Amino acid sequence: MNWIVKQIEKAQPFFRKLSANIYLQAVRDGFISLMPIIIFSSIFILVANVPNIWGFFWPTAVSDNLNRFYNYSMGVLSLMAAANVARALTRNLNVRLPKIDQIPEAAVMFGAQISFLLVAVDPFTNKAGVLFFNTAFMGTKGLICAFLVAFIVPNIYFFCFKHHITIKLPDAVPQNISSAFTNIIPFAFATFFFWIFDMVFRALGNANLVAWIIQVLSPLFTAADGYFGLAIVYGAMAFFWFIGIQGPSIVEPAVTAIYLTNVEANLKVFEAGGHATNILAQGTQYFVATIGGTGATLVITYMFALFAKSKELKAVGRASAIPVSFGVNEPILFGAPLILNPVFFLPFILTPIFNVWLFKVFVDFFGMNGFIYNLPWTTPGPIGLFMGVGFSIQALILIVAILAMDVVCYYPFFKAYDAQKVAEEAEADAKAVAAGVSPTAVDAPVEVDSGEIPVSMTKDKKNLNIMVICAGGGTSGILANALNKMAKEKDLPVEAAAAAYGAHGDLLPDMDVVVLAPQMDAMRDSLKLETDKANVKMITTTGKQYIDLTRHADKALEFIVQKLTGKSANDEKSETHTPTQTPTPTA
């Protein structure tokens, strides 16, 4: 296993570059801002349909109004996705342009929306001659087309702004008027491109672009929902995480369209009284394949907490249990560690696959529905599974079966690793006793007072404004909350904010320091361009170091102050992170 892991690590630079691809980032970041819409609209569907399970049906007027909210949000999801993904890509392209030649995000969003409507919507008139839009392809069905539009429109703007193909008015013209004219040529190029393309495409194919994409990719959608396709999707997520790269950041952009389309299709079948059989869905990822986080780490975390003989593993398990229960599993991934640990290579990759296969067996052979509702990823796995498939009895049985299977998958490797850690701890204790040091000695708390915080170096000269960025806002929230709590208790001039990577852009200019979680290290170079432009100090962290910071706010603040002032004696050692370096499986 050590040899296998070393061979896998050799490919890490390639996968890191793939993870940092600006188009994958744009899809992921664009959808982060859409998640509240997706989740909130699903609440209305839950209220509208869940009572039917127990024989209660809302009056038609109430049901129609509940469904109307869903239709007016999810029903135009692709239109919003075209705008948001285009905005995310524009932000990435803007860091490659001078400050005086920045592409206006709002203009790109409008251009992307109009371009999407041109290629995805079929207009029609009623008997009275009133013009209508056919919205059939404006929901989840049009997502792939929305991505294509969102990739092309910002690049047209980028080309025009980079080569100054814009209308330049005299300096005496007010800035707001001048900016409007600057946008005319790029906007015209983008919308005319899709207008002409649509006319030619419809003339040749007698269909709009969305309908053609659905027809061409339908075999791929079907194949992805089979046992082999599911193994590739969820095995790849676990594989990338195992080598230290946030797996969903690579895989999710490729399957997001399938996820949302399948859930909507399942819901329609369920509402019609049929059997919803599509497997690939966000719920499948959150509550089946990655129950407790990527690698299906819920079970192994509680094994550490309850049954480990190793003091370290027991401590790591107990500290990680609550976050992992809500899908935040970086504390166990880096704390044990699980990633790049040869002992856990097989269960980490295979357990998510087995979970999804078992889920598919229940759907195919025991009449359970696939996911018909979208729920927040922080919903505890068993609860999310039970709710997401419609509160079925089969789901309760499946939950027990999944947990039991995960125990079987992880238990032999848990025992082997626990025995290894116990032996290492005994050896370390023996050396400590021989050296006259108490084996149970712990580091004293770090005291940081107001005078040590370099307020004079901050932008507002009042507070040290810190942003912590991770993949989904989970561990970054833990660290930011701990810093704010300590600042309040000790009356320190510190304010901290947490953000998921991709949702940090609006807050970044007001920050003094950004702490980047190790799971997003592949985005380091991209973020560095943004922080340099915004005059913000960026601090990177390693795995165990970051988890230790989330547990000790005092150490975290001292670490940040040292990095900001450059006074740390071990500055280079603590900040440098070599991507190809293998963290040892021992603490």
Side-chain angles (χ1 to χ4, degrees):
M1 283 301 167
N2 282 309
W3 182 85
I4 292 174
V5 170
K6 288 180 180 178
Q7 302 312 306
I8 291 173
E9 280 190 85
K10 292 180 180 179
Q12 193 182 50
F14 167 77
F15 292 123
R16 287 171 55 83
K17 183 177 290 188
L18 179 63
S19 178
N21 180 273
I22 61 173
Y23 297 98
L24 291 180
Q25 285 188 54
V27 173
R28 184 190 63 249
D29 298 347
F31 261 90
I32 287 176
S33 55
L34 291 178
M35 285 310 296
I37 298 172
I38 296 171
I39 299 301
F40 190 67
S41 62
S42 295
I43 293 175
F44 284 79
I45 289 297
L46 280 166
V47 175
N49 292 286
V50 168
N52 300 356
I53 299 170
W54 295 283
F56 175 82
F57 294 86
W58 294 105
T60 302
V62 175
S63 179
D64 288 347
N65 276 301
L66 289 171
N67 284 297
R68 188 160 65 101
F69 188 95
Y70 181 86
N71 293 332
Y72 286 6
S73 52
M74 289 295 289
V76 291
L77 184 68
S78 291
L79 181 65
M80 294 185 287
N84 268 358
V85 174
R87 180 184 65 170
L89 181 57
T90 300
R91 284 184 173 177
N92 214 311
L93 294 174
N94 266 337
V95 299
R96 294 160 171 78
L97 291 172
K99 287 186 177 181
I100 60 174
D101 292 320
Q102 294 291 285
I103 305 169
E105 294 176 10
V108 174
M109 293 172 71
F110 297 148
Q113 287 179 314
I114 293 171
S115 298
F116 173 77
L117 290 174
L118 286 169
V119 298
V121 173
D122 296 324
F124 68 93
T125 56
N126 63 6
K127 293 181 180 179
V130 180
L131 178 65
F132 287 92
F133 282 164
N134 185 337
T135 62
F137 298 127
M138 292 174 64
T140 58
K141 292 181 180 178
L143 281 173
I144 294 178
C145 179
F147 297 160
L148 293 175
V149 170
F151 293 162
I152 294 172
V153 171
N155 276 291
I156 292 176
Y157 270 81
F158 180 74
F159 179 83
C160 291
F161 275 75
K162 182 178 181 180
H163 297 283
H164 304 289
I165 307 174
T166 58
I167 297 176
K168 181 69 173 177
L169 296 182
D171 294 338
V173 178
Q175 182 66 33
N176 60 331
I177 297 176
S178 177
S179 297
F181 277 86
T182 303
N183 296 331
I184 289 177
I185 291 179
F187 178 82
F189 281 179
T191 52
F192 267 62
F193 171 81
F194 284 101
W195 178 52
I196 294 171
F197 171 85
D198 181 67
M199 289 190 293
V200 173
F201 192 86
R202 289 176 189 265
L204 296 176
N206 197 30
N208 64 39
L209 180 59
V210 177
W212 181 82
I213 290 174
I214 291 173
Q215 181 180 359
V216 170
L217 295 184
S218 58
L220 179 61
F221 277 43
T222 302
D225 233 37
Y227 288 96
F228 182 70
L230 293 169
I232 291 176
V233 171
Y234 295 108
M237 283 190 188
F239 172 80
F240 289 129
W241 241 130
F242 184 82
I243 63 175
I245 299 171
Q246 216 265 345
S249 67
I250 297 179
V251 180
E252 268 197 329
V255 295
T256 294
I258 305 178
Y259 277 179
L260 296 174
T261 301
N262 281 350
V263 172
E264 186 170 16
N266 280 347
L267 179 62
K268 289 181 178 179
V269 172
F270 175 75
E271 289 176 329
H275 180 206
T277 59
N278 291 314
I279 302 298
L280 270 177
Q282 283 182 324
T284 308
Q285 177 192 338
Y286 296 158
F287 313 126
V288 179
T290 63
I291 184 170
T294 304
T297 54
L298 183 65
V299 161
I300 186 61
T301 301
Y302 279 93
M303 282 183 179
F304 285 163
L306 300 176
F307 307 117
K309 295 179 181 179
S310 161
K311 296 175 183 178
E312 181 183 343
L313 292 185
K314 186 177 287 290
V316 168
R318 289 177 176 177
S320 305
I322 293 178
V324 169
S325 297
F326 292 90
V328 181
N329 72 335
E330 286 87 351
I332 198 71
L333 293 182
F334 295 111
L338 297 184
I339 62 173
L340 284 171
N341 186 337
V343 175
F344 290 105
F345 175 69
L346 287 178
F348 195 85
I349 304 295
L350 296 179
T351 304
I353 297 174
F354 292 159
N355 285 356
V356 178
W357 282 355
L358 186 58
F359 176 69
K360 183 171 173 59
V361 167
F362 268 68
V363 172
D364 289 347
F365 300 104
F366 297 109
M368 190 181 78
N369 287 307
F371 278 88
I372 54 179
Y373 306 120
N374 287 305
L375 297 167
W377 64 272
T378 50
T379 306
I383 297 174
L385 173 55
F386 182 55
M387 292 179 63
V389 300
F391 300 87
S392 67
I393 298 298
Q394 297 99 314
L396 294 177
I397 300 172
L398 175 61
I399 290 168
V400 175
I402 285 177
L403 294 177
M405 183 173 66
D406 290 1
V407 168
V408 172
C409 289
Y410 268 109
Y411 184 75
F413 304 94
F414 157 72
K415 290 295 290 183
Y417 191 52
D418 188 42
Q420 175 185 325
K421 296 296 291 183
V422 168
E424 291 173 358
E425 289 171 5
E427 182 181 353
D429 288 348
K431 290 181 179 179
V433 171
V437 179
S438 172
T440 58
V442 295
D443 294 335
V446 176
E447 291 294 334
V448 180
D449 58 43
S450 297
E452 296 178 67
I453 299 173
V455 176
S456 61
M457 298 175 62
T458 65
K459 291 180 178 178
D460 61 10
K461 309 301 180 184
K462 296 179 181 179
N463 292 292
L464 176 59
N465 295 291
I466 303 167
M467 177 188 286
V468 189
I469 299 177
C470 69
T475 52
S476 61
I478 295 173
L479 178 52
N481 290 338
L483 287 170
N484 287 328
K485 181 180 178 181
M486 184 181 68
K488 185 176 180 180
E489 291 174 348
K490 298 184 178 182
D491 195 25
L492 300 175
V494 172
E495 291 186 358
Y501 189 94
H504 63 278
D506 293 333
L507 292 174
L508 185 62
D510 298 323
M511 295 294 124
D512 300 303
V513 179
V514 165
V515 179
L516 184 66
Q519 58 265 39
M520 299 309 296
D521 192 67
M523 309 303 175
R524 177 174 48 179
D525 293 342
S526 178
L527 182 63
K528 189 68 166 61
L529 293 174
E530 295 183 62
T531 55
D532 287 350
K533 194 170 188 177
N535 192 28
V536 177
K537 171 75 173 180
M538 185 184 78
I539 299 174
T540 59
T541 57
T542 58
K544 276 184 172 289
Q545 178 190 59
Y546 176 70
I547 298 305
D548 187 54
L549 295 181
T550 63
R551 295 173 183 165
H552 304 285
D554 54 344
K555 293 182 181 179
L557 184 56
E558 182 196 40
F559 172 76
I560 292 168
V561 169
Q562 288 176 346
K563 293 298 181 182
L564 186 61
T565 59
K567 295 180 180 179
S568 172
N570 298 314
D571 185 73
E572 185 68 26
K573 179 180 178 181
S574 59
E575 180 169 345
T576 303
H577 174 52
T578 305
T580 57
Q581 183 179 359
T582 305
T584 59
T586 57

